[in-house]
Amino acid sequence: MLLKDLISLPVYANAVIVAGREGISNTVQSITIMDAPDIIHYLKPQELLLTTGYAMKDHPDALLSLVTNMANVGCAGLAIKTKRFFREVPPEVIKRADELQFPVIELSLEQSLGDISSHSLSHILEKRTDELNYALTTHKQFSQMIMQGKSTQDIIEELSLLISSPVMLIDSEAKLLCSSGGAASQQYRSLLPSLQERIGSSLEPGGQLPQTPFTIAASVFHPIMTYQLEGYVVASIDRSHAHYNLSKHAMEQAANVIGLELMKRQAVKERSRRYKNEFFSDFVDGLISSEQELTHRIKYYRLMNHPYYVSIVVKRDTSYDTADASSTLESDGRFISERDRHYNVLKNEFSKLDQRFVLFTKNDYFCILIALQRSIDVKSGKVSKFLEQMRQVVDSLHLLHGIPISMGVGNPVSQLADIPLSYKEAVEALQTGYDARKRQFVQPYRAKNFNNLLRMIPKEELKEYYEDTFKDLLHIEGKERSDLLKTLSTFYETHCQLAETAKQLFVHRNTVTYRLEKCERLTGRDLRDPVESLRFRTAFSMESIVHSD
């Protein structure tokens, strides 16, 4: 209850506020009597201290220190019996209490401290009982509204009537969801700059507001919680009003009921999402064998009858060691709520593209299947409009939401049955980007050429194959070895045409013939045999890899 209401009780008759009158609206949660010298170590916030000042009668400066420390702790006030050990409250104490807006009350001699404490605590308990009954009643009232099918807007309207103040509902990023009327909307506009400033300086992930109640310009913000912060019930409540605590209780119960309703909706949504994730995960893994089931589910998501489809795989950038990064996030209590936030933000960003899409999760990937009206070019080196849109999504998530992500983009396919191929290309493209130590990238799929495939073989094995193929030629020293290898390489590059080989080497045709015959004699291989030809061509392709540092 408020201090000003407490000292209006008959037991405080003839009590006088001698200092700190501005703090008379402080909340009182408990009463304590103490005259110990180290009293400050035992006091708690919102506690009213009753004392005779006996422990400080010979040390007037101790009372000044006590008032200062009590104000710092957040105590409700100090009530002292004067004309016993203190004739009056010292002027310097009154001055300090006024500066700190900390109430100091002179008690009359007629009532004992025990009587004052007993009557005060009894009244506080009665008030708390009334507040508890009020909280239970309002919770029941709001719960019945939900059971009757009423909306969140209806609860906000009802709360506004109960506390006689405009009420609004905002989300965790300070966006207005609904309000009780024009006055609440006007209040939101006045609070928005302060909210945006607080979000900008927030330590919460993604720049969110805190998960505990707070006040801005006499407006109380009560959080709505599920397994994460969903938003706030906001209302202007006069702290000095007699029904301040009742209004706060009503806000708390409204927030609780709205939170329970959101949890119910989220459970339904999560079940549907899990069903979708399982289907598409099986689909891209090639486990859907029933064409009828595939057609039915794809039709449900309105993906039928589109000329082209493209798969995109998205992953949050955490570390180049992706396994360690995932375990770190999972060990953090925010993993589930963060992943859900990323899902919703991605969904909102792709909704802006004006393309039909389905978003689902698979392992630690976010997967997007987009239905297109025309084909797109996702070849590396050519920035198409589609890839530029993906680049904008990556930038938006990082700049606006603080989420660093990367994308792998598969090639477009024209058949539903080929979607798994596009998905596998997207996964491979994403991994290619990570292998190149990139971050916040959009990586289109690139089909591997022969050299890419060779690089997947251990270098030691490549070297062994290369040296075994050219072992008899590599034993020759100097210019002769260089001429023989160059002639053989050019011979295969010109598709075994002697005249063209001579022309490119600027030598006579007979010279080419002589060199090729020497190669056959040294290696013991028929250079025109298809199998031997393939071996030599492969060995020449390995040359740059084998000789690289």
Side-chain angles (χ1 to χ4, degrees):
M1 64 180 302
L2 301 182
L3 180 59
K4 67 176 183 178
D5 296 328
L6 182 66
I7 63 176
S8 67
L9 298 176
V11 74
Y12 287 92
N14 302 320
V16 179
I17 303 171
V18 297
R21 185 173 293 276
E22 291 81 357
I24 201 65
S25 295
N26 288 350
T27 298
V28 182
Q29 293 286 353
S30 60
I31 308 290
T32 191
I33 303 174
M34 197 177 292
D35 272 321
D38 57 348
I39 185 173
I40 188 61
H41 302 299
Y42 301 95
L43 295 177
K44 300 185 292 292
Q46 300 183 343
E47 193 165 48
L48 176 65
L49 173 64
L50 307 180
T51 184
T52 62
Y54 175 77
M56 297 168 283
K57 64 185 180 64
D58 298 325
H59 306 282
D61 291 342
L63 183 60
L64 179 65
S65 176
L66 176 63
V67 167
T68 303
N69 290 331
M70 287 183 70
N72 292 335
V73 169
C75 295
L78 171 67
I80 183 171
K81 274 200 172 186
T82 55
K83 301 179 178 60
R84 290 196 64 190
F85 304 109
F86 279 92
R87 182 171 183 81
E88 61 182 9
V89 178
E92 61 270 20
V93 174
I94 294 177
K95 180 180 179 182
R96 178 67 57 83
D98 283 334
E99 291 173 353
L100 299 173
Q101 298 183 8
F102 180 77
V104 176
I105 304 164
E106 282 190 354
L107 299 173
S108 67
L109 295 174
E110 286 79 7
Q111 300 286 348
S112 70
L113 293 184
D115 287 342
I116 294 174
S117 175
S118 177
H119 283 81
S120 298
L121 287 173
S122 176
H123 189 72
I124 289 173
L125 289 175
E126 288 179 6
K127 280 287 187 181
R128 288 183 179 175
T129 302
D130 292 341
E131 289 175 3
L132 179 59
N133 288 331
Y134 180 78
L136 291 172
T137 301
T138 52
H139 188 277
K140 182 178 180 181
Q141 180 179 350
F142 292 138
S143 296
Q144 287 177 340
M145 292 178 66
I146 290 295
M147 293 175 67
Q148 293 168 0
K150 301 291 185 179
S151 66
T152 303
Q153 176 70 47
D154 294 325
I155 291 180
I156 294 299
E157 298 283 358
E158 186 66 21
L159 176 62
S160 178
L161 293 175
L162 280 175
I163 66 177
S164 301
S165 173
V167 179
M168 58 184 173
L169 183 66
I170 64 174
D171 66 14
S172 59
E173 296 179 352
K175 296 176 183 176
L176 182 63
L177 301 178
C178 62
S179 65
S180 61
S185 300
Q186 184 176 357
Q187 175 190 355
Y188 171 74
R189 287 191 291 272
S190 65
L191 290 171
L192 188 57
S194 298
L195 287 171
Q196 291 174 335
E197 181 180 354
R198 183 167 289 217
I199 289 176
S201 60
S202 173
L203 297 179
E204 296 292 324
Q208 292 185 336
L209 293 166
Q211 299 183 5
T212 53
F214 63 93
T215 303
I216 296 179
S219 293
V220 177
F221 291 71
H222 199 288
I224 300 172
M225 300 296 299
T226 55
Y227 60 88
Q228 64 180 358
L229 177 66
E230 299 291 345
Y232 297 86
V233 175
V234 186
S236 291
I237 310 176
D238 186 355
R239 188 178 180 83
S240 63
H241 197 277
H243 300 300
Y244 174 77
N245 282 341
L246 294 181
S247 297
K248 284 187 66 177
H249 282 305
M251 289 182 64
E252 180 181 5
Q253 299 311 313
N256 289 341
V257 170
I258 292 173
L260 289 172
E261 176 64 13
L262 289 177
M263 287 188 70
K264 184 184 74 174
R265 295 179 188 175
Q266 287 170 356
V268 174
K269 186 188 299 182
E270 183 61 29
R271 182 177 179 181
S272 175
R273 186 185 297 177
R274 188 181 303 114
Y275 189 37
K276 177 179 66 174
N277 289 341
E278 290 174 355
F279 166 76
F280 279 99
S281 180
D282 288 345
F283 175 37
V284 297
D285 284 341
L287 301 178
I288 303 296
S289 57
S290 170
E291 185 176 345
Q292 183 178 2
E293 180 186 2
L294 175 60
T295 303
H296 173 73
R297 294 299 300 277
I298 292 294
K299 187 176 182 180
Y300 174 80
Y301 292 107
R302 293 188 289 171
L303 295 176
M304 292 290 290
N305 303 321
H306 284 79
Y308 299 97
Y309 304 90
V310 65
S311 296
I312 299 173
V313 172
V314 178
K315 192 175 186 299
R316 187 183 192 276
D317 291 336
T318 51
S319 168
Y320 292 123
D321 188 347
T322 55
D324 288 347
S326 297
S327 61
T328 300
L329 273 176
E330 288 181 16
S331 65
D332 191 334
R334 296 193 305 267
F335 176 74
I336 296 176
S337 60
E338 276 292 274
R339 187 165 174 80
D340 190 67
R341 183 173 75 92
H342 297 168
Y343 182 96
N344 291 327
V345 170
L346 266 174
K347 186 175 181 180
N348 291 336
E349 288 297 322
F350 274 91
S351 296
K352 300 174 184 178
L353 301 181
D354 195 27
Q355 301 277 7
R356 188 65 196 168
F357 74 94
V358 172
L359 171 63
F360 61 100
T361 59
K362 180 175 171 59
N363 302 326
D364 54 350
Y365 295 139
F366 294 98
C367 309
I368 302 98
L369 175 59
I370 303 180
L372 303 168
Q373 294 300 328
R374 58 187 178 83
S375 182
I376 57 172
D377 188 349
V378 296
K379 293 180 181 177
S380 179
K382 181 175 182 180
V383 181
S384 66
K385 180 181 178 181
F386 180 81
L387 291 181
E388 182 59 32
Q389 288 176 322
M390 296 303 100
R391 181 72 255 175
Q392 291 172 3
V393 171
V394 171
D395 292 341
S396 177
L397 261 70
H398 181 243
L399 295 176
L400 301 181
H401 305 283
I403 307 174
I405 65 165
S406 294
M407 289 186 181
V409 183
N411 284 317
V413 295
S414 58
Q415 302 293 327
L416 286 171
D418 293 332
I419 288 176
L421 175 60
S422 181
Y423 166 77
K424 289 179 175 61
E425 291 174 345
V427 172
E428 189 172 328
L430 182 68
Q431 191 57 50
T432 298
Y434 281 128
D435 289 344
R437 316 295 279 180
K438 296 180 182 178
R439 302 192 82 171
Q440 296 179 47
F441 59 83
V442 176
Q443 179 66 51
Y445 175 75
R446 290 182 295 181
K448 286 184 171 60
N449 58 31
F450 188 61
N451 283 342
N452 294 138
L453 293 174
L454 288 177
R455 291 180 185 278
M456 298 174 68
I457 303 174
K459 190 172 180 179
E460 294 76 14
E461 295 186 17
L462 294 179
K463 186 176 182 180
E464 182 181 348
Y465 185 95
Y466 177 83
E467 291 178 349
D468 183 64
T469 302
F470 295 122
K471 62 182 178 180
D472 297 299
L473 297 178
L474 296 176
H475 291 158
I476 302 173
E477 297 294 337
K479 186 174 183 301
E480 183 180 6
R481 179 178 68 179
S482 174
D483 289 341
L484 291 177
L485 290 174
K486 181 63 176 175
T487 301
L488 185 58
S489 173
T490 307
F491 178 65
Y492 285 125
E493 287 176 1
T494 58
H495 306 289
C496 303
Q497 298 293 320
L498 290 175
E500 185 62 28
T501 302
K503 180 179 178 181
Q504 291 196 18
L505 294 175
F506 301 101
V507 296
H508 194 275
R509 176 188 177 108
N510 291 341
T511 303
V512 172
T513 301
Y514 168 77
R515 291 176 180 175
L516 292 178
E517 288 176 351
K518 188 168 184 177
C519 287
E520 285 189 337
R521 190 168 59 254
L522 290 173
T523 61
R525 304 178 188 276
D526 182 358
L527 301 185
R528 295 182 182 273
D529 181 86
V531 175
E532 300 299 343
S533 172
L534 177 60
R535 181 181 182 91
F536 280 115
R537 290 173 188 270
T538 303
F540 278 121
S541 297
M542 295 177 179
E543 191 169 23
S544 59
I545 303 175
V546 169
H547 293 156
S548 65
D549 293 334

